[in-house]
Amino acid sequence: MTDVLTQPRPIRLKGRSFLALALTPEPPFDDWLARLDDLAARSAGFFLRRPVVLDVEGLDIDRSQLRKLVDQLGTRSVRIMGIEGARPSLLCSDLPPAMTDGRPASDFEAPIAEQDDEVDAAESVVPSDPLPTKATPSIIVTRPVRSGQSLFVPEGDVTVVGSVASGAEVVAGGSIHIYGTLRGRAMAGTTGGASARIFCRKLEAELIAIDGFYKTAEEMEPDLRGKAVQIWLEGETIKLGTLG
Amino acid sequence: MGKVIVVTSGKGGVGKTTSSAALGAALAQNGEKVVVVDFDVGLRNLDLVMGAERRVVYDLVNVIQGEAKLTQALIRDKRLETLYLLPASQTRDKDNLTPEGVEKVITALKRAFDWVICDSPAGIERGATLAMRHADVAIVVTNPEVSSVRDSDRIIGLLDSKTLKAENGECMEKHLLLTRYDPARAERGDMLNVDDVLEILSIPLLGIVPESMDVLRASNVGSPVTLADGHSAPAIAYFDAARRLKGENLPVAIPGEKRGFFGKIFGRKAA
C-alpha cells in the first residue's frame, strides 16, 4: 500500500505595491468621459492592458453612478482594478475592491499624438522600484503595542521598545526588533525581503512570518519559548535560534 | 472642577459595576461629593447594586435628549448624603447616547461633584467609547485570567487613542484594579499571578480585590460592599484603592501572600 507523503506546505502571502494609473473623474461625468474619449482618440490603446485605479476621493457619487461609470469605462477598454478613496458603504461585491495606502508617483504623460514605436503594454507597467536608492526609513516605537493594534510599516525596520501583546501585530518591510516580550504576531520582510529577521527579548509569539513564510506557535520549538530569540529564513524554512 | 474616572475592562462580568459602586461609596464615606454614572444603557445594573432601583424616575438618556433636567435624574443615596447615582435607561439602547449629549452631562457633573465615576459597559463599541471619552483617569478592571487580561490590553490601547486626552496629545492616567483574586488558586498556579498581569499590561496597580462571598452578598442586598461590611477583605481593598486614587502612596499587599520584612517596607511597585 502506498501512502502519499504530503508535507503541509503553507501558502505564501506577500504584500507588494505596484505602479498604477489613477484616474480622477470629475462631475459631470458625461463631459469627463467625452474628454477621456478625446484623449483615447489621440492615442489608441493608451489604456489598453494598463492597470487603472479610479480615485473617487471627495466625489459626491452614489453606488449606481459609480457602477455606471465603471461600466462605461469598461466599454472603452479601461479596466478598473480598484477604487481609491471610496466610503466602504459605496462598494459592494460586484464593484472593484477598495485600494488603500496609495502613494503618489510622478504623473503619467498623456500622449500628445499616436506614437510609432509603441511600447509593449505589459512592459510599460512599471513595478515599484525593487531597490530604492534613498535610505529606507526605520521606525522606533517606545510604548507597548496593545492587543488589537496593528503596526504596519511597508518599508524599513521597526524597533519596539516594549512588548507586543497577544492579539497585536507588527508588520514590516524590513526587520523587526522587539525589546520586550513578543506575544502577538510579527511579520518581517513582507515586501519581499528574504533577508529580514525578527529579534525579540522573549518569545511567546502567536505567529511569526518572514517574506510570506510563516510559523504558528504550535510549530515552534517548545524549548525556545520565553527565550531571547532571533528568527530568519533559510531557503523556504523559518529558523529560530537563541540570542547569545 | 471634579475628576472624571472611567471604570472599564473590555470583558464583561469582571466587576466593573461592583467596583464603581464600591469605590464611589468609599470616596463618599470620606466626605467627598461623588456621582456614579451608569453608561450601560439597555442593560443597567448599577441601580440594583446601589439599592436604588425603586427610585429611578429619569435617566441618562432622558437628560441627553432634553426630556429631564440633570437634577431630576440624579438619585441621592439613602445612607451617604454625598453619594449620587445617575442611572442608565433600561428601555433604550446605546444609540441614544450622542457625543454632544454625553459631553454636556459630564461637563455639568464635573462642576457639581468632586468625582464623576463612569461605569462603562462591556465591549469596545459606542457605549464603552463614549464612557471613556471625557475621562481624566481610567481604572482598568481585570481578572487574573488570560481572556480578561487580553481584553484589558485592548481597552488600554483604545484609552490611548480614542479619548479626548489622547487626541489632545496628553497621556491618560491609567490604573489596574485586579478583582476576583483567589489566593488559593493563584498558589496552585490555576490563575495568572499578579506579576504576570502587571508585566503584560504594564500600568500601575491600584489594588487587588480578593474573590469573596461578601461581594455577592452585598450586591444581593443592594449595597456597595464598602457600605455593607466595612471590615470585610474586599471592602478594605476598595478603601485602600480609593486612598491611592486620591494620591496616597500605600503599598499593595497580595492577598494570602506571606511577605518578609523588606517586602512589607518596600511594598510593590508596578511599572
Side-chain angles (χ1 to χ4, degrees):
Chain A
M1 195 168 155
T2 49
D3 245 351
V4 184
L5 267 177
T6 49
Q7 182 146 16
R9 257 174 69 91
I11 290 167
R12 297 183 73 185
L13 301 165
K14 299 209 278 189
R16 190 164 291 174
S17 61
F18 292 94
L19 206 62
L21 191 73
L23 274 180
T24 316
E26 290 155 27
F29 298 123
D30 288 338
D31 287 4
W32 180 78
L33 283 168
R35 285 194 314 235
L36 191 79
D37 287 338
D38 181 45
L39 174 73
R42 278 184 278 136
S43 166
F46 179 64
F47 292 108
L48 199 68
R49 297 174 67 191
R50 265 191 207 263
V52 178
V53 171
L54 202 60
D55 179 3
V56 295
E57 178 84 57
L59 266 190
D60 187 25
I61 189 169
D62 62 28
R63 192 186 287 171
S64 65
Q65 281 176 303
L66 183 63
R67 191 176 286 141
K68 203 174 137 205
L69 193 60
V70 171
D71 287 346
Q72 282 175 328
L73 286 166
T75 59
R76 291 166 169 80
S77 301
V78 180
R79 284 191 305 186
I80 304 297
M81 63 181 280
I83 294 176
E84 190 186 11
R87 283 172 285 114
S89 59
L90 197 61
L91 300 177
C92 54
S93 55
D94 61 335
L95 278 169
M99 307 281 279
T100 53
D101 295 323
R103 276 170 295 162
S106 57
D107 285 351
F108 271 78
E109 285 294 322
I112 316 285
E114 180 88 66
Q115 286 172 331
D116 289 334
D117 50 341
E118 205 176 308
V119 239
D120 182 8
E123 249 183 41
S124 65
V125 178
V126 192
S128 66
D129 197 349
L131 285 169
T133 42
K134 61 176 169 39
T136 47
S138 64
I139 283 180
I140 297 178
V141 178
T142 52
R143 47 194 217 181
V145 185
R146 304 277 182 187
S147 184
Q149 292 177 335
S150 177
L151 193 61
F152 182 73
V153 183
E155 267 178 76
D157 291 5
V158 179
T159 306
V160 180
V161 187
S163 295
V164 176
S166 159
E169 64 179 12
V170 179
V171 183
S175 296
I176 298 173
H177 310 256
I178 295 158
Y179 292 93
T181 310
L182 169 59
R183 294 193 178 83
R185 299 169 161 213
M187 294 146 147
T190 45
T191 40
S195 61
R197 292 189 179 202
I198 300 168
F199 305 85
C200 64
R201 218 165 64 175
K202 199 171 167 196
L203 178 77
E204 301 281 350
E206 291 165 349
L207 183 139
I208 46 172
I210 296 173
D211 192 18
F213 295 100
Y214 66 86
K215 218 173 192 149
T216 58
E218 230 173 48
E219 299 158 348
M220 294 175 208
E221 295 89 332
D223 54 318
L224 286 174
R225 289 200 85 79
K227 301 250 169 64
V229 164
Q230 66 164 323
I231 299 147
W232 69 97
L233 199 60
E234 234 176 70
E236 295 197 345
T237 6
I238 286 192
K239 296 273 184 187
L240 291 91
T242 51
L243 281 167
Chain B
M1 273 299 218
K3 252 192 178 171
V4 182
I5 297 177
V6 61
V7 179
T8 185
S9 72
K11 192 174 185 299
V14 294
K16 283 180 298 295
T17 301
T18 304
S19 300
S20 301
L23 285 171
L27 287 165
Q29 274 164 286
N30 287 316
E32 314 243 351
K33 214 172 163 201
V34 182
V35 61
V36 192
V37 186
D38 193 348
F39 269 86
D40 207 346
V41 176
L43 290 169
R44 73 170 188 219
N45 283 148
L46 192 61
D47 54 326
L48 288 170
V49 174
M50 292 182 65
E53 74 277 12
R54 299 197 299 178
R55 296 198 287 143
V56 177
V57 183
Y58 295 111
D59 54 55
L60 178 62
V61 171
N62 291 138
V63 177
I64 284 177
Q65 303 201 327
E67 295 153 1
K69 289 205 191 88
L70 189 54
T71 44
Q72 292 176 296
L74 286 170
I75 303 171
R76 184 200 274 185
D77 191 85
K78 280 192 168 165
R79 297 146 294 201
L80 290 169
E81 60 176 37
T82 56
L83 179 63
Y84 288 78
L85 163 72
L86 181 55
S89 171
Q90 184 73 354
T91 50
R92 315 280 187 97
D93 62 35
K94 287 167 182 77
D95 294 340
N96 289 291
L97 294 176
T98 59
E100 304 77 30
V102 170
E103 185 178 357
K104 227 170 68 189
V105 171
I106 297 284
T107 312
L109 290 174
K110 253 164 91 166
R111 283 205 201 98
F113 291 91
D114 299 323
W115 299 91
V116 181
I117 300 179
C118 304
D119 179 22
S120 166
I124 52 172
E125 288 81 25
R126 194 181 181 85
T129 46
L130 280 177
M132 68 170 71
R133 182 136 186 90
H134 302 277
D136 300 308
V137 180
I139 296 177
V140 180
V141 182
T142 306
N143 291 164
E145 45 102 13
V146 280
S147 56
S148 172
V149 171
R150 184 158 79 178
D151 290 0
S152 293
D153 196 58
R154 179 90 165 94
I155 280 288
I156 296 170
L158 293 179
L159 286 167
D160 284 336
S161 60
K162 292 282 162 69
T163 53
L164 268 185
K165 274 208 144 187
E167 283 170 14
N168 292 335
E170 295 169 60
C171 187
M172 162 86 73
E173 188 184 326
K174 299 169 290 273
H175 298 279
L176 174 68
L177 186 64
L178 204 56
T179 54
R180 310 193 69 167
Y181 185 82
D182 186 339
R185 285 182 58 205
E187 194 147 309
R188 287 200 304 271
D190 298 348
M191 224 169 54
L192 286 177
N193 67 41
V194 178
D195 289 327
D196 288 345
V197 179
L198 283 175
E199 203 266 319
I200 295 174
L201 296 179
S202 55
I203 56 171
L205 186 60
L206 186 70
I208 303 173
V209 182
E211 172 85 308
S212 164
M213 280 305 288
D214 295 319
V215 175
L216 194 65
R217 215 174 292 136
S219 294
N220 284 338
V221 298
S223 168
V225 67
T226 40
L227 269 177
D229 178 5
H231 299 290
S232 64
I236 292 168
Y238 279 121
F239 279 124
D240 285 352
R243 285 169 66 188
R244 287 184 202 105
L245 207 53
K246 288 200 285 181
E248 253 185 80
N249 191 8
L250 276 179
V252 181
I254 298 182
E257 192 169 280
K258 288 178 190 67
R259 317 256 305 274
F261 178 68
F262 284 101
K264 274 187 186 129
I265 285 185
F266 294 114
R268 178 163 298 269
K269 215 170 168 193

